[in-house]
Amino acid sequence: MASSGALKPYLDTVKATLNAAVCIRNFPSQVVERHNKPEVEVKQSKELTLNPLIVSRSEKESCLIEASVNSVRVSIRIKQADDIEEILCHKFTRFLMQRSEQFLIMRRKAIENYDISFLITHSHLETMWKHKLIDFIIQFMEDIDKEISAMKIAINGRARMVATEFLKQF
Amino acid sequence: MSGPPTKGMILLEARSAILYEQLRSRIVGDKRDPCEISFYDFDDVGIRIVCQESSPNVVGVHLNIRNIAELKRMGAQEVIDRLYPGMETTPADGYNFAISFDCDAVADKEKFLDNVAEIRKNILGGPLDKAFGLLLAKQSANMAPMVVNNRPDEPMFVVENGGKIIVIFAVDFSDETDRTLAKVFLQEFEEVQRMYVRNAPPCLYSPAGNPPGELSRVTYTPKSTLAGFLSFSVEERHITGPGKNNAIALLTSFRNYLHYHIKSSKTYLHMRMRKKVAAWMLVLNRAKPEIETEKKTVSGKTFVMK
């Protein structure tokens, strides 16, 4: 596959960008007293959010990184080549997003036009290693593509067996 | 001849296990106590076994088949007359077909037991029985196309074309995931037959927007949730001898077989996703540094942090 050659540079770029973007610290809200909100979600003060950045591997596969002073939002668009990959991806991301509490940094709803989103806040960095967190996101991006392909192959294999067993009976 | 053998959990049986077990003790055995057992089978068919105290040797089997009148017209009546001669009786409330027989008077007990245990398949397969009979007798040329509505939005068409009987299934799913999976499965049927199982009737998958040519001879408006059509071209060589009964059993169970396996594939996907989530949780947990819960002083005193 020609595209697998382009996978490593894509992931390396995302990793480097995240390393630079996830430089966040605690920053209580400037607008409401005693509140502490992730600025990338609220977007109330222009000086606190940085320009969003898109790393794209192709038209269909890209990664949106939005940073701010106390939080970073990472949204991923996963490659879906045909109908079955589309429903597999949809089912999988829905499954993950329903369990987003377990994943701590996962967002319950993906950003529009993207398949899944993560939200990293300063409080996460207070309890987890930054480099390991970024490693997790990179590994996730790699694994989800592999998993969707594997599920598609498994479905085709099952369909083949189901058809063979039926037709063999004639 | 009983239905196709089950290989593990892959194939569905044509005969009702409940009917077989309950009636075996009466037809072959000598159980004669009164009973009233109701249950359901595939295709929303309701079944009731009745044995009155006043006539303990007489057993009634009542069925509720949605399209019984249509089936009788299209060939089921001949099957009933052949397999259950003179046994048709008034069905109970809530049922629309019944047979009643004297367990003491049954001639070939094992064979009759098999026939009754497969009563659902025999009646639902009436149109196929008629079509295959005509094909074997080389009189199928002018057979009128039959539209069999075992289920409301999923008709089965039985059409004659060029010396073959074409059995076409309209496959419908309300859920989009199911529809996509169904398309994968149906296309596999076509490919597997063409490449590997040449003895089986040739299969053809037609997408919802492009129905098979034979359907131009019937009035039919496809639903928007249609996944597509699968056509089986049955030839004489498929239905000679025991092949005829076998083909009827397989084709009447096709829709249920397909749905069963699509559901089991969804379960499989779910299990896979669970496993993957568990694996990712392990990776995420590596990101958390180990918090010291126990600290010791030089003199050996231990503090435990909860």
Side-chain angles (χ1 to χ4, degrees), chain B residues 74-85:
Chain B
M74 294 197 225
Q77 190 62 58
E78 286 84 0
V79 177
I80 295 165
D81 295 338
R82 188 175 74 226
L83 296 175
Y84 319 110

Side-chain angles (χ1 to χ4, degrees), chain A residues 83-84 87-88 91-92 95-96 99 102-104 127-129 132-133 136 139-140 143-144 147 150-151 154-156 158-170, chain B residues 4-5 7 10-11 177 180-181 184-185 188-189 191-193 196-197 200-201 246 250 254 257 261 264-265 268-270 272-274 276-277 280-281 284 286-289:
Chain A
D83 272 348
I84 185 105
I87 58 136
L88 286 176
K91 263 201 145 10
F92 205 176
F95 188 87
L96 291 169
R99 287 158 181 76
Q102 273 184 43
F103 279 100
L104 301 171
T127 51
M128 295 192 267
W129 299 120
K132 293 245 161 124
L133 207 50
F136 169 75
Q139 177 149 1
F140 179 88
D143 282 354
I144 199 157
E147 184 65 17
M151 289 204 281
I155 291 283
N156 282 330
R158 283 178 82 97
R160 176 150 300 184
M161 194 179 65
V162 162
T164 312
E165 283 311 313
F166 184 83
L167 293 170
K168 253 168 48 175
Q169 299 300 317
F170 276 96
Chain B
K7 182 183 166 174
I10 298 183
L11 295 164
T177 310
T180 316
L181 284 172
V184 173
F185 274 70
E188 272 304 313
F189 267 89
E191 198 168 310
V192 164
Q193 188 283 324
Y196 307 108
V197 193
N246 188 28
L250 286 169
F254 172 72
Y257 181 77
H261 281 287
S264 104
S265 297
Y268 169 74
L269 285 177
H270 207 96
R272 261 193 97 107
M273 292 195 276
R274 278 235 170 135
K276 203 69 205 172
V277 167
W280 279 328
M281 290 310 301
L284 193 58
R286 271 191 255 142
K288 299 188 189 141

Side-chain angles (χ1 to χ4, degrees), chain B residues 210 218 279:
Chain B
N210 191 17
V218 295

Side-chain angles (χ1 to χ4, degrees), chain A residues 98-115:
Chain A
Q98 278 174 341
R99 287 158 181 76
S100 59
E101 281 131 37
Q102 273 184 43
F103 279 100
L104 301 171
I105 54 167
M106 192 175 287
R107 205 169 178 268
R108 237 175 165 34
K109 264 194 97 150
I111 302 301
E112 226 183 273
N113 292 330
Y114 288 87
D115 297 308

